[in-house]
Amino acid sequence: MSIMDKTKDKIELHLHIDGAIRTETIWDIARIRGIALDGTLESYRHKVTLTSQESLQGFLKCFENFMFIISGCRDAIKRISYELCEDEARQGVMYFEGRLCPHLLANSNSGGILEWNQQPGDCSPRDVVDAVLDGFREGERDFGIKARAVLCCMFHRPEWSDDVVGLCKEFRDRGVVGIDIAGDELVNFTHPQHIAAFQEAARCGISRTVHAGEIGPAEHVKIAMEQYSAQRIGHGYGIVHDEDIYAMVKESNIHIEVCPVSSMITQGARCACYKTHPAKRFAKDGLNFSISSDDPGVMLASLEHNISYVVNHMGLTEAILPTLTMNAARSCFLPDDERNELIERVKHVHNIQ
């Protein structure tokens, strides 16, 4: 069966483009760009993937071993965005939101900061967004999928946040549907430049999600809702440790982007096994959440893998999956008319009345 003919019945909202790159693609781009890598493809794979428990900070260090190869190369950025459409379509995804920090993939106009010691050049954050959207557009055409972008601020780089919201404004009619803030939430979570950028995004009607309560306290989720004006929460597992904030999240019906495998590898879930994962309580209490893969290239765990863990290890039944897909459809960042079309498609595919 071709990818175009595959039944598409899934939605993914929390997916980092730079964390979803095929190792083979990184290796090939290094060859094309004349960047020498030691060892073999298989030995290199161990440097850019992580499947055992590590701290979030340790996990983020994996990116140091490959981002310098991709950053600053428009063709590479377009390619990984196109291939992401293929990988998502292959597992039956009808719609996804891929997120990225444009400044991390650029090699110019990032305030003099080259995060990965990549070679300086002429690929600006604006050029990065342009390349991603070009890749998405071609991927949509070739694989029968719908792809949109969410642009990320980074907790450790408050000086980029104003620029990120500016890019969201510039590209909102070309496929950028929202803003996020990612990275280590224990650094600069309440920095005024971050909060001001999100308040500006809210003023302009740009949709907002915030990484909060992943490794940080439940209080970060409250701050995300009240000060960042977040409409969705990335991870949010920490709310199970504060009953007042848990109740606030439930009452507000804010959407939580749950990434099961990621949360166990980075220890964000703060539980001994999947059977005691916070998402199990989310399901029991009827919270608004969906399942995503986060960084499937680094963690070697696709959306399908994450869903299988929910059913086979967490102990939820397959009967909940249509509900989670509908939660994602209703909480996606598409314009109202497109969101309504997506909701109707989910109803049809999953026979929801």
Side-chain angles (χ1 to χ4, degrees):
M1 180 186 294
S2 72
I3 294 177
M4 290 293 285
D5 294 333
K6 183 177 178 66
T7 299
K8 295 182 174 65
D9 58 359
K10 303 177 185 68
I11 296 172
E12 183 158 23
L13 299 182
H14 192 116
L15 177 61
H16 292 269
I17 296 173
D18 50 4
I21 310 171
R22 305 169 186 169
T23 304
E24 292 80 3
T25 295
I26 300 170
W27 187 264
D28 190 47
I29 291 171
R31 177 190 60 79
I32 292 169
R33 299 189 69 190
I35 299 172
L37 298 175
D38 295 333
T40 65
L41 170 60
E42 289 310 311
S43 65
Y44 180 68
R45 194 185 306 278
H46 293 294
K47 296 180 180 180
V48 297
T49 59
L50 182 67
T51 57
S52 58
Q53 279 200 337
E54 179 56 90
S55 66
L56 177 66
Q57 295 85 351
F59 159 72
L60 294 173
K61 283 191 173 296
C62 278
F63 289 78
E64 297 175 4
N65 293 327
F66 67 86
M67 283 291 283
F68 70 95
I69 296 169
I70 308 297
S71 296
C73 179
R74 294 176 182 81
D75 289 343
I77 295 164
K78 179 180 177 181
R79 175 177 171 179
I80 64 173
S81 303
Y82 176 84
E83 289 182 353
L84 182 56
C85 292
E86 181 178 17
D87 292 341
E88 289 290 284
R90 194 178 298 281
Q91 54 187 326
V93 172
M94 64 175 81
Y95 172 72
F96 76 89
E97 293 172 4
R99 58 186 72 187
L100 71 147
C101 174
H103 299 71
L104 291 181
L105 284 162
N107 63 5
S108 72
N109 293 1
S110 293
I113 300 167
L114 296 175
E115 195 81 11
W116 318 108
N117 294 317
Q118 63 266 42
Q119 287 295 315
D122 63 357
C123 182
S124 69
R126 186 187 186 282
D127 295 326
V128 169
V129 179
D130 197 55
V132 166
L133 297 178
D134 281 349
F136 278 0
R137 185 167 57 249
E138 293 185 14
E140 287 181 309
R141 177 198 66 201
D142 291 348
F143 306 117
I145 193 169
K146 191 163 193 163
R148 295 294 183 266
V150 173
L151 305 186
C152 297
C153 305
M154 299 301 296
F155 285 116
H156 70 295
R157 296 293 182 199
E159 62 269 37
W160 289 347
S161 290
D162 288 346
D163 197 27
V164 172
V165 74
L167 290 168
C168 289
K169 294 178 191 177
E170 179 180 353
F171 286 95
R172 67 190 308 176
D173 294 327
R174 284 191 50 199
V176 171
V177 293
I179 191 169
D180 178 28
I181 183 165
D184 184 353
E185 68 174 294
L186 300 182
V187 178
N188 294 330
F189 192 85
T190 57
H191 196 287
Q193 283 181 266
H194 293 322
I195 292 172
F198 272 72
Q199 290 173 345
E200 172 64 8
R203 187 188 70 80
C204 296
I206 296 166
S207 297
R208 303 158 307 281
T209 182
V210 172
H211 280 68
E214 179 180 13
I215 61 170
E219 180 68 19
H220 281 183
V221 174
K222 182 179 180 182
I223 292 168
M225 294 171 67
E226 295 180 345
Q227 298 185 40
Y228 281 84
S229 299
Q231 296 157 291
R232 297 196 324 232
I233 298 295
H235 303 291
Y237 317 115
I239 63 172
V240 298
H241 303 292
D242 188 307
E243 292 303 321
D244 289 339
I245 293 176
Y246 188 93
M248 183 178 83
V249 167
K250 182 179 179 181
E251 183 178 356
S252 72
N253 201 41
I254 192 170
H255 187 81
I256 304 174
E257 305 155 358
V258 171
C259 306
V261 174
S262 162
S263 68
M264 296 300 287
I265 288 178
T266 65
Q267 303 177 64
R270 287 164 267 189
C271 59
C273 65
Y274 283 99
K275 289 191 180 299
T276 55
H277 193 283
K280 197 163 184 181
R281 181 177 175 191
F282 296 172
K284 179 176 72 72
D285 293 341
L287 268 63
N288 176 10
F289 76 98
S290 63
I291 301 299
S292 292
S293 62
D294 203 2
D295 296 277
V298 176
M299 297 180 181
L300 302 180
S302 66
L303 178 60
E304 285 186 323
H305 281 100
N306 277 268
I307 291 171
S308 73
Y309 273 87
V310 167
V311 174
N312 297 321
H313 298 279
M314 198 178 291
L316 302 182
T317 68
E318 290 188 359
I320 197 175
L321 299 181
T323 298
L324 301 185
T325 304
M326 182 58 77
N327 288 346
R330 288 177 171 144
S331 303
C332 77
F333 286 163
L334 287 170
D336 289 345
D337 56 341
E338 295 181 60
R339 184 190 303 111
N340 289 335
E341 287 177 11
L342 186 64
I343 289 169
E344 290 305 312
R345 187 173 172 189
V346 171
K347 287 180 179 178
H348 174 74
V349 171
H350 290 283
N351 295 314
I352 298 172
Q353 300 302 315

